[in-house]
């Protein structure tokens, strides 16, 4: 039984969030006309969202006349506030799997109407009742290959933990998801036995870098840190994009955490029909292939694969070789454990 079917009737809101919603609302969006000719999208910004604008939003407006207003700042607290106050300002979100479970548990998502189009060609791991996969991505070992010119290059998480063989400062993602898995792989846990995660073992493994790593918070900042050699390697999700842009950055899919983002519609969206129309448009093979020109995330539509240049497809997480080399990030485990484990991780960081 899927998590969607188990949680459909569960609706748990934090009562105090309703009073906070006014402060969280975006005034410019709140003032927009509800004419059915606009959709408000909430994303994560950066090169990914710029690519979404070019490959998806602008062509959609040209075809349908429906304008997409692209905003940033996806936070489930904001979404809870909007839904709880019956003042939903977002119509679309591309939500990572690590947040999907929690959003569903809290009753924040509309069920998608797949009678309007077929999802038969999408990777089945990325399609659920409330979420339609838009991209695959991977958090993987990423390094500055000029640093290791003429010497062995790091390819595994054990290599990243081996500071004697591979010199240089490490970067670390200041987020509990992905990082705990990598720490366990470095400590010898087989990828097929990662879940349920041994949190304390992960933190013990991470002690090696607790005081010495650069703990970064924003995905776009990592490229400059690698290029300036402030760090020589790090877990990251955008290394392939930098590599394709000609930067001296390379990635390894060995032990990569492969996950996906999916299109979701917030509960109470004022423009459900238009949002469903956009999702149908965005999962078309040509649109997904076009998006790979801007960000090196993999298509979820298998018919998009032949439309992507082979030199690019070979580097994307959807490619079977890369998919098999990594492991599938388990959003079903993280969903009910995210808050608890994040609290424990933050305590560890401060200790």
């Amino acid at each position: 039984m899927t998590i969607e079917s188990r949680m459909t009737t569960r609706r748990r809101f934090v009562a105090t969030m309703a009073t906070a919603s006014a402060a969280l609302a975006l005034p410019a969006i709140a003032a927009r006309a509800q004419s059915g000719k606009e959709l408000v999208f909430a994303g994560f910004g950066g090169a990914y969202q710029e690519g979404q604008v070019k490959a998806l939003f602008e062509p959609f407006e040209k075809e349908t006349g429906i304008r997409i207003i692209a905003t940033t700042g996806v936070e489930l607290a904001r979404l809870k506030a909007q839904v709880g106050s019956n003042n939903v300002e977002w119509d679309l979100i591309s939500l990572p799997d690590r947040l999907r479970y929690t959003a569903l548990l809290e009753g924040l998502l509309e069920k998608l109407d797949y009678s309007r189009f077929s999802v038969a060609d999408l990777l089945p791991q990325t399609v659920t009742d409330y979420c339609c996969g838009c991209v695959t991505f991977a958090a993987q070992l990423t390094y500055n290959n000029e640093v290791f010119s003429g010497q062995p290059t790091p390819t595994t998480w054990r290599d990243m933990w081996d500071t004697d063989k591979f010199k240089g400062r490490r970067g670390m993602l200041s987020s509990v998801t992905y990082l705990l898995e990598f720490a366990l792989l470095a400590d010898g846990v087989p990828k097929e036995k990662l879940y349920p995660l041994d949190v304390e073992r992960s933190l013990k493994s991470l002690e090696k870098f607790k005081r010495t790593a650069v703990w970064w918070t924003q995905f776009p900042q990592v490229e400059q840190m690698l290029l300036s050699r402030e760090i020589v390697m790090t877990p990251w999700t955008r290394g392939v994009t930098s590599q394709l842009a000609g930067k001296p950055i390379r990635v390894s899919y060995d032990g990569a955490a492969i996950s996906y983002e999916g299109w979701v519609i917030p509960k109470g969206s004022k423009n459900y029909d238009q949002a469903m129309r956009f999702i149908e448009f965005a999962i078309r093979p040509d649109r997904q292939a076009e998006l790979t020109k801007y960000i090196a995330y993999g298509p979820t539509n298998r018919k998009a694969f032949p439309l992507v240049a082979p030199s690019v497809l070979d580097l994307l997480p959807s490619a079977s070789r890369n998919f098999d080399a990594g492991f599938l990030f388990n959003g079903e485990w993280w969903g009910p454990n995210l808050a608890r484990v994040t609290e424990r991780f933050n305590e560890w960081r401060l200790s």
Side-chain angles (χ1 to χ4, degrees):
M1 182 181 293
T2 66
I3 179 61
E4 284 82 1
S5 59
R6 294 197 304 269
M7 299 301 178
T8 298
T9 60
R10 300 187 65 175
R11 298 294 183 267
R12 301 188 306 173
F13 298 106
V14 179
T16 55
M17 293 307 296
T19 60
S21 62
L24 292 171
L26 300 176
I29 297 174
R32 68 187 173 92
Q34 296 297 328
S35 64
K37 288 296 183 180
E38 290 180 345
L39 291 172
V40 176
F41 166 80
F44 291 92
Y48 178 30
Q49 189 156 319
E50 292 172 5
Q52 289 173 314
V53 170
K54 294 296 184 182
L56 305 175
F57 301 165
E58 291 178 353
F60 179 71
E61 181 178 1
K62 184 176 181 180
E63 178 174 305
T64 67
I66 300 172
R67 179 188 177 209
I68 295 182
I69 301 172
T71 67
T72 59
V74 177
E75 296 177 6
L76 291 190
R78 282 188 169 188
L79 185 56
K80 285 182 183 180
Q82 293 178 23
V83 174
S85 63
N86 197 29
N87 184 29
V88 177
E89 299 296 342
W90 298 337
D91 299 308
L92 280 166
I93 306 173
S94 54
L95 197 68
D97 185 42
R98 67 180 185 274
L99 300 178
R100 175 185 61 86
Y101 182 104
T102 304
L104 181 63
L105 186 69
E106 298 293 345
L108 305 180
L109 306 179
E110 292 280 2
K111 188 174 183 179
L112 302 182
D113 182 4
Y114 289 123
S115 69
R116 304 183 184 211
F117 52 82
S118 172
V119 293
D121 295 319
L122 299 192
L123 296 173
Q125 300 94 329
T126 71
V127 180
T128 68
D129 287 346
Y130 291 79
C131 183
C132 184
C134 53
V135 293
T136 60
F137 62 91
Q140 64 227 126
L141 176 59
T142 308
Y143 60 94
N144 183 325
N145 65 308
E146 290 184 341
V147 171
F148 302 101
S149 178
Q151 57 183 303
T153 57
T155 59
T156 70
W157 298 112
R158 283 192 173 185
D159 290 342
M160 182 165 171
W161 260 247
D162 189 345
T163 53
D164 293 327
K165 183 177 180 180
F166 300 96
K167 307 292 185 183
R169 195 173 188 187
R170 272 50 168 172
M172 286 289 174
L173 168 64
S174 297
S175 174
V176 68
T177 51
Y178 313 128
L179 192 59
L180 295 192
E181 286 92 334
F182 301 152
L184 289 173
L185 291 171
D187 200 42
V189 176
K191 64 182 182 180
E192 61 272 12
K193 295 184 178 180
L194 280 173
Y195 301 99
L197 297 182
D198 186 334
V199 176
E200 296 306 316
R201 182 174 176 178
S202 295
L203 297 179
K204 184 177 180 180
S205 176
L206 284 166
E207 282 286 343
K208 183 180 183 73
F209 302 112
K210 187 175 183 178
R211 310 296 180 195
T212 61
V214 176
W215 290 86
W216 54 269
T217 59
Q218 301 297 319
F219 282 82
Q221 74 188 106
V222 177
E223 181 180 85
Q224 186 54 44
M225 289 194 295
L226 284 167
L227 295 177
S228 68
R229 304 193 184 187
E230 180 182 358
I231 60 175
V232 299
M233 67 181 83
T234 185
W236 196 32
T237 61
R238 303 182 184 179
V240 172
T241 297
S242 295
Q243 180 175 339
L244 290 171
K247 308 291 177 59
I249 291 175
R250 299 294 183 270
V251 304
S252 171
Y253 273 99
D254 192 329
I258 298 176
S259 189
Y260 72 95
E261 280 191 13
W263 300 113
V264 301
I265 302 175
K267 189 73 173 179
S269 166
K270 301 175 180 68
N271 294 292
Y272 180 88
D273 289 340
Q274 292 86 348
M276 286 299 305
R277 188 175 179 184
F278 171 80
I279 293 173
E280 184 278 327
F281 177 88
I283 65 171
R284 295 177 188 173
D286 62 327
R287 291 301 95 208
Q288 290 204 350
E290 184 70 16
L291 183 60
T292 66
K293 297 177 182 179
Y294 301 96
I295 187 77
Y297 291 168
T300 59
N301 191 323
R302 287 167 290 206
K303 287 188 175 179
F305 294 176
L307 306 179
V308 180
S311 59
V312 174
L313 184 63
D314 286 347
L315 292 173
L316 300 182
S318 300
S320 59
R321 179 180 62 181
N322 299 332
F323 198 90
D324 292 342
F327 65 90
L328 192 62
F329 177 82
N330 192 332
E332 296 290 304
W333 185 88
W334 271 108
N337 290 288
L338 180 60
R340 173 184 63 83
V341 177
T342 298
E343 182 178 2
R344 176 67 185 101
F345 177 72
N346 291 336
E347 290 174 353
W348 172 81
R349 286 286 312 277
L350 295 172
S351 63

